[in-house]
Amino acid sequence: MTDFQTHQAPKRSRFTDVLANWIGVIPFFIFIFVFLILPSTNLFIGAFRDYKGNFTFENIIGLKDPAILKAYYVSLQVSVITSLVGSVFGFFVAYAITIDKAPKWMRNILMTFSGLAANFGGVPLAFAFIATIGRTGFITAILKNICFPGASGLQTCPFNIYENGFTLYSVLGLTLAYTYFEFPLMVLIITPALEGLKRDWREASDNLGASSGQYWRYIALPVLWPSFLGAGLLLFGSAFGAFATAQALTGGSIYLVTILIGQQIRGDVLGNPNLGYALALGMVVIMGITIMGYTMLQRRTARWLKS
């Protein structure tokens, strides 16, 4: 009896350890199941059903509608532009605080700002932009009141941005708003990659007589480009899935896929929830491709940084 207890005790101990480890992640799996797997399954099934619950391909075929194709085009256009602008802008900011060895206090300020701004979106961001450069925003008012006497003796106000064709409630205005949280996200993502560039590589390059341009062309950029492209894909996905900022800023006047989905599933008599599910399924496909590309590039980056 004593030998039996001696052999059973280690087994119970290992079982307890394994159970304790799984207990820690059970809330995560419950959350994923309730808020990701169940809605995704319902979305997939709903995309192939009509309003009576019968199986149909009409919702998928309906994605060929010119208005829906235009919504995808505008969403892709805004996402590509904001990801490009955010990637380039964020890269140079990250470069300034890492490679150029900016003062530590400046790096702390920029990194703290990036952490906050990257998560500042939705209605608060839209309100901030409306209050700043909206038609009655305070910067708009300041620029509007900067006037000079013209040649004819009349006052001219050259900095009135709305008189010069700008409007916040357009694709350009939406691009500005998205860039506000896109470039800080780029700073947070690309900074570790820039810090991964080893000083030995630069010293070896200098000792061999290479110029700064040759170092970046033949050493640094080949190492950084997977991180840069991966971060760009992440920024693209962030902009492509945004809804609240566009809805609050433009009131749905810009034809984005996310706004169109909201119009279809919000429950009014003109909406078609199953078409909304099909639209969301199209977005899931695009986001899935984006995530696959990001994952592949991140693996390549990790190999470089470990070497």
Side-chain angles (χ1 to χ4, degrees):
M1 186 65 182
T2 304
D3 292 340
F4 176 77
Q5 290 175 342
T6 303
H7 285 92
Q8 290 297 313
K11 291 183 179 179
R12 281 199 297 268
S13 177
R14 284 196 296 272
F15 175 76
T16 304
D17 291 342
V18 172
L19 183 62
N21 292 334
W22 280 99
I23 286 176
V25 295
I26 283 175
F28 168 75
F29 285 115
I30 293 175
F31 186 87
I32 292 297
F33 180 75
V34 173
F35 294 104
L36 180 63
I37 295 177
L38 275 183
S40 300
T41 304
N42 183 55
L43 181 152
F44 183 80
I45 295 173
F48 294 95
R49 282 184 174 177
D50 60 16
Y51 70 96
K52 291 182 179 178
N54 300 318
F55 180 82
T56 179
F57 282 109
E58 286 187 5
N59 301 313
I60 303 299
I61 296 173
L63 297 181
K64 295 181 181 179
D65 186 272
I68 293 176
L69 292 178
K70 181 183 177 183
Y72 274 106
Y73 173 76
V74 175
S75 292
L76 290 172
Q77 181 187 32
V78 171
S79 303
V80 169
I81 292 173
T82 54
S83 61
L84 285 176
V85 174
S87 297
V88 174
F89 189 21
F91 177 82
F92 282 111
V93 172
Y95 175 90
I97 62 176
T98 53
I99 305 299
D100 267 4
K101 302 297 181 185
K104 188 175 180 180
W105 62 268
M106 183 183 295
R107 173 192 169 90
N108 292 338
I109 290 175
L110 284 172
M111 293 302 291
T112 303
F113 166 78
S114 298
L116 291 172
N119 295 285
F120 185 69
V123 177
L125 179 62
F127 175 76
F129 267 80
I130 291 172
T132 306
I133 56 172
R135 189 169 288 277
T136 57
F138 75 94
I139 288 182
T140 305
I142 292 173
L143 295 174
K144 188 177 179 179
N145 291 318
I146 300 176
C147 301
F148 306 98
S152 61
L154 298 175
Q155 292 282 331
T156 58
C157 304
F159 301 110
N160 188 342
I161 55 177
Y162 281 84
E163 289 291 331
N164 291 321
F166 171 81
T167 173
L168 180 62
Y169 318 105
S170 63
V171 172
L172 177 59
L174 189 62
T175 301
L176 281 176
Y178 279 10
T179 303
Y180 182 84
F181 62 81
E182 293 272 87
F183 93 83
L185 184 58
M186 181 67 179
V187 173
L188 294 177
I189 297 170
I190 202 67
T191 296
L194 285 168
E195 290 176 336
L197 291 176
K198 297 179 181 177
R199 184 174 297 177
D200 298 347
W201 299 346
R202 185 59 186 259
E203 291 174 354
S205 173
D206 293 338
N207 290 335
L208 292 173
S211 64
S212 179
Q214 288 173 323
Y215 165 74
W216 278 98
R217 180 180 176 185
Y218 295 110
I219 300 175
L221 288 181
V223 175
L224 286 176
W225 76 264
S227 297
F228 186 84
L229 290 181
L233 285 176
L234 201 62
L235 266 59
F236 170 85
S238 175
F240 191 68
F243 168 73
T245 302
Q247 178 68 31
L249 188 66
T250 67
S253 60
I254 296 179
Y255 228 50
L256 299 178
V257 178
T258 50
I259 290 177
L260 192 58
I261 293 173
Q263 292 173 351
Q264 295 297 326
I265 65 175
R266 64 188 175 192
D268 60 25
V269 293
L270 300 177
N272 180 355
N274 296 102
L275 179 59
Y277 295 149
L279 284 163
L281 185 61
M283 289 192 69
V284 169
V285 172
I286 294 174
M287 294 294 284
I289 295 172
T290 303
I291 292 171
M292 284 178 59
Y294 174 74
T295 304
M296 293 170 62
L297 291 168
Q298 281 300 104
R299 286 180 178 175
R300 183 160 184 164
T301 304
R303 286 203 301 270
W304 273 107
L305 295 178
K306 286 179 180 177
S307 63

